[in-house]
Amino acid sequence: MFCIPPPPRPGAGRPPRRGGGGPPPVRNKGFRVTEVDERDLDQYTEIRALIEIPMVGRVTRIAAREDLEALRPVAEDIVRAAREHDLIGYLEADRLFHLTLLGLAGNERLVETVGELRKRSRLYGLTALDKSGGLVPSAEEHLELLDLMLAGDAKGAEKCMTRHLGHVRSLWAKGDRPTGE
């Protein structure tokens, strides 16, 4: 979910072009950088919850134990990155964990959809959450979720995922804005 912050105003901080033609055009190689407002974040999070919470229950019931255990090193990477204040590593491992977990349901379109929702959502406040010590407990929820799933506790896994996704709009949203995470 690492997103690029919006670019500065075209020409800001640059000298005028020769001949007084104004600043050179800003080229962004085809990417459109947009602001994400609170309403967008709420809606993306709601859609993710509608998809991910019941899918965690389903995956708990259908996934092979070895497929779930294969996610443990990724969950541990999330915790390690949080403890080391490695936000890029945290975000990469978190994305890999969630999308791989959903992939165990066998629905590629679902994984693509959640991947797109994650790309559209900016994780505001992640830096502040890290500085306050709140990122490690959030990271450890990945291990808790995995343990519940391995125990076959679909309802417990759904509750854990509900709490975990709630951080996107509660704990994380309370931090510094915008950070571009």
Side-chain angles (χ1 to χ4, degrees), residues 94-134:
D94 181 69
R95 179 177 176 81
L96 178 61
F97 179 89
H98 285 277
L99 296 183
T100 303
L101 179 64
L102 291 172
L104 296 177
N107 185 331
E108 294 172 21
R109 300 297 79 77
L110 182 138
V111 174
E112 287 174 9
T113 299
V114 172
E116 281 302 311
L117 290 167
R118 291 177 65 96
K119 283 181 195 175
R120 292 173 187 230
S121 303
R122 287 210 178 101
L123 299 182
Y124 293 115
L126 195 57
T127 302
L129 184 63
D130 177 46
K131 288 178 182 173
S132 73

Side-chain angles (χ1 to χ4, degrees), residues 8-27:
R9 269 187 1 260
R14 286 188 249 165
R17 279 174 101 184
R18 258 175 146 179
V26 174
R27 303 209 187 278

Side-chain angles (χ1 to χ4, degrees), residues 45-58:
T45 303
E46 181 179 19
I47 295 167
R48 283 188 61 197
L50 289 169
I51 295 170
E52 292 185 68
I53 294 166
M55 290 309 293
V56 161
R58 180 174 174 206

